[in-house]
Amino acid sequence: SLIDEPAQLAEMSATEKFVEEARKSPIERMREQVLESLGLTEEALAQMPPQERRAAEDKIRELIEEKIRQAMNADDQPTESNSAMLQSLVGA
């Protein structure tokens, strides 16, 4: 019926959701993750007063930079065996 049409248009299929997500850059995905971890949305950020938004954007940038540093350092770290990790924990 015509009444159900807007609801159907508002819902995205799994394929559409996948395509939308695939089109995002890694930085866009990281930003979404950071916003979610801070309990924010782009819409909420846009409604903040300028000074508050600037502080939030600085925090978001800092957290994204930290994620990138962690990812880069993870590549530099040699992978330890389970035995080596257990020895380092036990101090043996």
Side-chain angles (χ1 to χ4, degrees):
S1 77
L2 293 175
I3 295 171
D4 294 333
E5 224 174 284
Q8 290 172 345
L9 293 176
E11 291 183 32
M12 294 174 61
S13 71
T15 302
E16 290 168 327
K17 287 178 185 178
F18 175 80
V19 169
E20 182 179 298
E21 193 65 26
R23 287 184 177 154
K24 293 177 185 173
S25 72
I27 294 293
E28 288 172 320
R29 285 191 211 106
M30 271 193 250
R31 181 177 172 89
E32 284 181 355
Q33 290 172 352
V34 168
L35 282 172
E36 185 177 325
S37 74
L38 295 172
L40 294 171
T41 63
E42 290 291 349
E43 295 78 21
L45 202 57
Q47 294 176 359
M48 288 181 177
Q51 194 170 12
E52 191 177 328
R53 180 178 178 153
R54 201 170 307 115
E57 290 287 357
D58 288 344
K59 181 68 174 174
I60 292 164
R61 184 178 57 253
E62 179 184 310
L63 292 171
I64 289 173
E65 288 171 356
E66 180 62 29
K67 281 180 170 267
I68 292 171
R69 271 194 298 279
Q70 288 174 354
M72 291 175 69
N73 288 337
D75 291 341
D76 294 341
Q77 301 294 323
T79 54
E80 289 187 69
S81 68
N82 287 342
S83 172
M85 284 191 286
L86 287 172
Q87 287 176 353
S88 68
L89 287 173
V90 178

